[in-house]
Amino acid sequence: MNEINLDLIDTTGEPPVTEPERQYYYIAKCRELISRKSKELGRPLYSCTTTFGCQMNARDSEKLIGILEQIGYIEKETKNPDFVLYNTCTVRENANLKVYGHLGFLKKQKEKNEHMMIALCGCMMQEETVVEKIRSSYKFVDLVFGTHNIYKLAELIYDRLTLDKPVIEILKDTDNIVEELPSERKYSFKSGVNIMFGCNNFCSYCIVPYVRGRERSRKPEDIVNEIQKLVNDGVSEIMLLGQNVNSYGKNLEEEITFAELLRRVEKIEGLKRIRFMTSHPKDLSDDLIEVMKNSKKICRQLHLPLQSGSSRILKIMNRHYDKEKYINLAEKIRREIPDISLSTDIIVGFPGETEEDFKDTLDVVNRIRFDSAYTFIYSKRTGTPAAKMDDQIPKDVIKDRFDRLLATVHEISNEQTLKHVGNTYEVLVEEINEHNNELVTGRMSNGSLVHFKGCKDLIGKIVNVKLDEAKGFYYLGTMEEI
Ligand code: SAH
Ligand code: SF4
Ligand code: F3S
């Protein structure tokens, strides 16, 4: 967390116009109001944040919780919080449905606790139809904001507390990147680090470019400084985050490639592990493969979304690669970095997908033998080009293909995990096992989870673990002497 003494901020004058100073002013203002309320009630005030969606949203939530804690809320999973925050995702329809379901429940909670403030933010709020629906049918929601103004949380809360009416602020897009705000990390030893925001690719099925705005890269020196601070604070593993990290740096005044950024990050002393996501196959350079191959810190894991194995469908998806190019790339990566774990995303049932197209997807899966694959049923997103395409595929056909794909993916990933049994790997211990407190859970460089006997003192440490048994999604192992 950044060291700013809120007591030194003059809250009697006008708010500063520059960021982040303006937000620190509002954090201090809100802190006064919340502290007064807490004294009135004779108890602390609690916040409860729920995060949907991807790593990007998870990182945003850490920033939001950082601001809430500075304001004076204690973040806690509780049934009756004073501030409820839903950081939403809209990549598929079912993500939206979940939020509406929760809102029904929250309405009842709010009737019992008049101090309760309900806030919604994130990708779903960038859709006009969603905000309209909340405005008209969910009037008890206090605060609605989007993906471009999360840094303004304190200012928005202040407005809500002083204006006595719901506050809704959605920005269409921004080229503003506000650095140096507080953030509360979920884990002490690992952290996500944004290297870029937004997306310019407009894959024809995807809503992300519409809700996250245009691609903006952070300056390499800001990224390196943030990581250095995290390392000084005990972090040993970082995950560099962007919708398409391989196009990092293209819009910066001083152009720089993602491979070059990795070289700079690798040099940070004390940092032990580097992960990143997501890599778009169209922009993955030989230079990146070279950097990964020679690196001692970059983890042996690459997420390389395929989406479809059919060249015809890939073209309509606007992915800018075909089946052959993807296979060649994946094979080259496996050849150059043999111990790499390759994972992917696949969509089943894109408009117009024929049995033949689907067989191409199965063919790529069988040839590349992904270590793991996330499979999704195509979800129609209003506003994207694919939503208007004729020939949406019937549900039963999709279900049949999805089941066949899942069976193939599982069989292969089970076989892939067996390869490692009997070997010893470095494991970063993450937590006490959820189901058995004599075990700890850690992660290998390739991303696999391992459970083994150990105690909480090991959390955050890297230890050697021999893999005894593969259990599908995880391993059971034995720690070797430290
Ligand atoms: N930027 C990343 C993906 C972000 S979204 C990339 O380009 O790889 C994560 C995944 O959700 C995508 O890889 C895709 O497989 C899936 N997805 C996106 N839109 C979808 C939709 N309309 N229906 C089903 N799955 C979708
Ligand atoms: Fe969506 Fe494509 Fe951008 Fe990924 S690269 S976020 S799938 S538009
Ligand atoms: Fe969802 Fe937004 Fe991420 S739509 S997948 S939370 S960028």
Side-chain angles (χ1 to χ4, degrees):
M1 207 182 294
N2 297 307
E3 307 277 329
I4 298 248
N5 189 343
L6 292 171
D7 293 328
L8 298 181
I9 294 177
D10 174 16
T11 53
T12 55
E14 287 295 303
V17 282
T18 52
E19 300 290 4
E21 295 76 11
R22 183 177 174 88
Q23 295 314 313
Y24 278 104
Y25 167 91
Y26 278 110
I27 290 174
K29 287 283 245 192
C30 286
R31 201 169 68 140
E32 291 167 1
L33 296 174
I34 296 302
S35 147
R36 210 175 300 153
K37 196 158 248 174
S38 163
K39 280 202 191 98
E40 253 169 58
L41 294 171
R43 62 168 177 86
L45 294 186
Y46 294 103
S47 61
C48 183
T49 305
T50 307
T51 310
F52 299 92
C54 64
Q55 301 278 349
M56 230 74 62
N57 255 20
R59 180 68 186 129
D60 284 352
S61 285
E62 292 186 342
K63 295 178 185 172
L64 292 161
I65 294 170
I67 296 173
L68 288 172
E69 297 215 324
Q70 294 271 303
I71 287 176
Y73 286 106
I74 299 175
E75 175 70 16
K76 190 177 163 196
E77 224 175 281
T78 158
K79 282 219 174 71
N80 208 2
D82 302 285
F83 190 94
V84 182
L85 178 61
Y86 277 93
N87 190 4
T88 62
C89 168
T90 187
V91 78
R92 285 170 291 274
E93 178 72 21
N94 53 6
N96 293 40
L97 296 177
K98 268 192 218 156
V99 172
Y100 290 122
H102 284 290
L103 279 178
F105 169 77
L106 283 179
K107 185 171 187 217
K108 292 204 186 74
Q109 293 295 102
K110 193 169 177 173
E111 282 160 10
K112 287 185 229 153
N113 177 5
E114 55 168 334
H115 308 283
M116 188 190 241
M117 221 199 268
I118 300 174
L120 300 175
C121 68
C123 295
M124 202 176 143
M125 300 307 129
Q126 292 294 140
E127 289 180 273
E128 271 170 36
T129 48
V130 170
V131 176
E132 269 323 302
K133 188 164 167 173
I134 290 164
R135 231 188 257 276
S136 59
S137 311
Y138 297 88
K139 294 201 168 79
F140 56 93
V141 172
D142 295 283
L143 192 57
V144 179
F145 55 105
T147 56
H148 302 300
N149 48 356
I150 62 159
Y151 70 92
K152 280 182 73 178
L153 178 62
E155 183 171 348
L156 297 170
I157 292 182
Y158 184 77
D159 287 349
R160 176 65 191 93
L161 290 171
T162 50
L163 294 178
D164 207 32
K165 63 170 195 218
V167 172
I168 299 183
E169 186 183 283
I170 311 289
L171 310 180
K172 281 255 174 291
D173 201 349
T174 178
D175 44 22
N176 192 1
I177 300 178
V178 179
E179 304 275 353
E180 302 286 324
L181 273 163
S183 148
E184 187 61 37
R185 291 196 317 275
K186 191 168 170 199
Y187 296 96
S188 59
F189 50 87
K190 68 170 184 176
S191 178
V193 174
N194 297 108
I195 62 166
M196 58 206 296
F197 301 94
C199 180
N200 283 354
N201 290 307
F202 291 95
C203 301
S204 61
Y205 51 84
C206 184
I207 200 164
V208 171
Y210 304 88
V211 296
R212 285 271 168 179
R214 295 293 62 73
E215 198 171 283
R216 284 148 282 143
S217 296
R218 285 176 75 195
K219 289 194 203 117
E221 52 274 24
D222 288 338
I223 296 168
V224 169
N225 282 343
E226 180 178 339
I227 300 172
Q228 185 66 64
K229 273 194 199 152
L230 288 166
V231 169
N232 295 348
D233 200 26
V235 165
S236 48
E237 176 179 305
I238 52 136
M239 162 97 78
L240 304 175
L241 299 172
Q243 290 299 354
N244 175 12
V245 291
N246 296 331
S247 72
Y248 170 76
K250 286 189 179 151
N251 64 336
L252 286 174
E253 235 164 74
E254 189 194 329
E255 269 206 21
I256 165 173
T257 63
F258 180 54
E260 182 52 33
L261 176 72
L262 281 172
R263 284 195 188 95
R264 294 198 200 172
V265 172
E266 171 108 22
K267 287 199 192 112
I268 298 174
E269 229 166 283
L271 178 66
K272 303 223 171 74
R273 283 178 163 187
I274 304 167
R275 300 185 189 277
F276 54 83
M277 81 183 304
T278 299
S279 265
H280 194 306
K282 80 178 165 74
D283 297 316
L284 199 147
S285 67
D286 286 350
D287 196 21
L288 176 64
I289 300 177
E290 197 60 26
V291 172
M292 289 185 77
K293 184 175 162 179
N294 298 324
S295 168
K296 297 251 174 331
K297 297 184 179 176
I298 301 174
C299 289
R300 283 348 201 189
Q301 179 186 29
L302 185 70
H303 187 61
L304 195 64
L306 166 68
Q307 313 301 4
S308 167
S310 152
S311 297
R312 192 183 75 83
I313 294 288
L314 284 167
K315 195 163 175 46
I316 312 172
M317 283 179 161
N318 195 29
R319 290 289 289 179
H320 297 280
Y321 54 86
D322 60 15
K323 179 181 178 186
E324 197 191 340
K325 192 171 166 212
Y326 186 95
I327 291 177
N328 287 343
L329 178 63
E331 284 178 345
K332 182 166 26 168
I333 295 165
R334 283 230 197 267
R335 204 164 49 238
E336 294 294 322
I337 316 168
D339 56 347
I340 201 146
S341 163
L342 272 183
S343 58
T344 200
D345 290 345
I346 299 168
I347 297 175
V348 178
F350 182 83
E353 183 190 74
T354 62
E355 177 62 22
E356 207 173 310
D357 292 321
F358 176 68
K359 285 215 171 105
D360 274 330
T361 299
L362 282 181
D363 186 41
V364 178
V365 168
N366 281 313
R367 282 165 73 174
I368 302 304
R369 300 182 58 75
F370 295 105
D371 296 83
S372 64
Y374 301 89
T375 49
F376 304 108
I377 286 179
Y378 167 72
S379 174
K380 189 171 163 175
R381 308 313 289 129
T382 311
T384 63
K388 289 190 226 83
M389 289 176 192
D390 304 330
D391 214 2
Q392 304 277 332
I393 309 294
K395 276 203 177 110
D396 56 331
V397 176
I398 297 187
K399 172 87 173 66
D400 172 65
R401 288 182 193 158
F402 186 78
D403 290 347
R404 280 150 66 204
L405 176 64
L406 207 59
T408 311
V409 156
H410 276 166
E411 192 186 321
I412 293 172
S413 65
N414 279 339
E415 286 166 15
Q416 294 288 65
T417 41
L418 283 175
K419 287 192 307 202
H420 302 290
V421 174
N423 301 344
T424 297
Y425 295 92
E426 284 190 343
V427 170
L428 172 61
V429 184
E430 297 199 338
E431 56 206 356
I432 296 284
N433 186 286
E434 269 180 31
H435 307 290
N436 178 348
N437 62 14
E438 286 180 2
L439 301 180
V440 289
T441 301
R443 211 173 274 278
M444 290 158 48
S445 167
N446 75 5
S448 300
L449 283 176
V450 197
H451 306 302
F452 57 98
K453 214 168 199 161
C455 63
K456 70 171 189 335
D457 299 344
L458 291 174
I459 293 174
K461 296 210 167 85
I462 294 181
V463 294
N464 283 325
V465 178
K466 181 165 180 258
L467 305 183
D468 301 321
E469 211 182 322
K471 289 273 191 188
F473 291 114
Y474 63 90
Y475 294 95
L476 294 177
T478 314
M479 187 173 83
E480 303 197 330
E481 291 298 312
I482 301 181

